[in-house]
Amino acid sequence: MCSNAVCKVKEEQPKPKQPVSSVKSEYTPKPSSKKGKTFSADYPIIFLHGWHGDLDVFAEMQDNLAEEGMADDMGDIYSSSLASSICPKGWPSAVSVNFEYYDQGQDKGIEFYADKLSGAIKTLKECTKAKKVNIIALSMGGLIARTYMLKYGSDSVNKIIMLETPNY
């Protein structure tokens, strides 16, 4: 049973599970269903789930971003994902991805996951040719993003949005 509002909404409206390694390797621009235009985000968005999180926690938000014409959902990426394998032809900057940093049953610490995030940001920048990314993080994902910023600086990050992150 989840204790936060995001989980409660998910429990009330379950969505069918999609394959975990669902990264699109080729990108074809498509018009937004509501706006009739191509996706418009200035920077790619990387979503970070919380501790023992589920990659689907941001699914509704990603669907809404795509529906509103902001960012196309390109699936899930992992610390081992290489740009040459997930986006050989590149992606536009207006995309969003989920980053899976947590290895089930292997708690390795925030600093370790911040290093993994560094690799994911590098891959996303290579795929999109963007200079920076936006991070939207839930709970422990926010701690990882903050630790990344302390260790690697802000050169690769435009904005961080933290949801339910214990910043104290």
Side-chain angles (χ1 to χ4, degrees):
M1 193 77 158
C2 294
S3 62
N4 66 40
V6 173
C7 291
K8 288 179 184 173
V9 169
K10 285 181 57 103
E11 288 174 356
E12 292 169 10
Q13 300 172 344
K15 291 186 175 185
K17 290 272 187 186
Q18 294 189 3
V20 173
S21 61
S22 59
V23 176
K24 299 176 186 175
S25 63
E26 294 186 29
Y27 178 78
T28 304
K30 61 183 180 183
S32 163
S33 60
K34 284 194 170 190
K35 306 283 183 186
K37 62 180 180 179
T38 57
F39 296 101
S40 63
D42 292 330
Y43 297 101
I45 300 166
I46 187 165
F47 287 96
L48 295 174
H49 60 75
W51 184 60
H52 288 271
D54 183 334
L55 287 172
D56 290 335
V57 73
F58 289 113
E60 185 176 349
M61 189 178 295
Q62 285 186 279
D63 290 346
N64 289 339
L65 287 171
E67 189 174 309
E68 292 295 323
M70 296 298 296
D72 193 9
D73 178 359
M74 298 306 286
D76 309 324
I77 64 171
Y78 301 86
S79 57
S80 60
S81 297
L82 299 173
S84 60
S85 64
I86 65 170
C87 59
K89 295 183 179 181
W91 294 336
S93 62
V95 300
S96 70
V97 296
N98 272 311
F99 174 54
E100 175 57 79
Y101 60 85
Y102 187 76
D103 299 320
Q104 292 294 0
Q106 298 181 16
D107 293 329
K108 302 226 176 156
I110 302 294
E111 293 80 12
F112 178 81
Y113 298 130
D115 291 339
K116 289 176 101 175
L117 175 59
S118 174
I121 289 172
K122 180 182 176 201
T123 298
L124 189 54
K125 285 173 50 182
E126 286 176 17
C127 285
T128 62
K129 304 296 185 233
K131 294 183 185 208
K132 295 184 178 211
V133 301
N134 288 322
I135 299 172
I136 300 177
L138 174 67
S139 190
M140 187 172 119
L143 298 176
I144 293 166
R146 184 175 63 209
T147 301
Y148 167 86
M149 295 289 285
L150 291 170
K151 186 170 184 178
Y152 294 97
S154 61
D155 291 346
S156 292
V157 178
N158 179 54
K159 291 181 185 173
I160 297 178
I161 299 170
M162 295 181 187
L163 309 169
E164 298 183 355
T165 297
N167 287 306
Y168 49 83

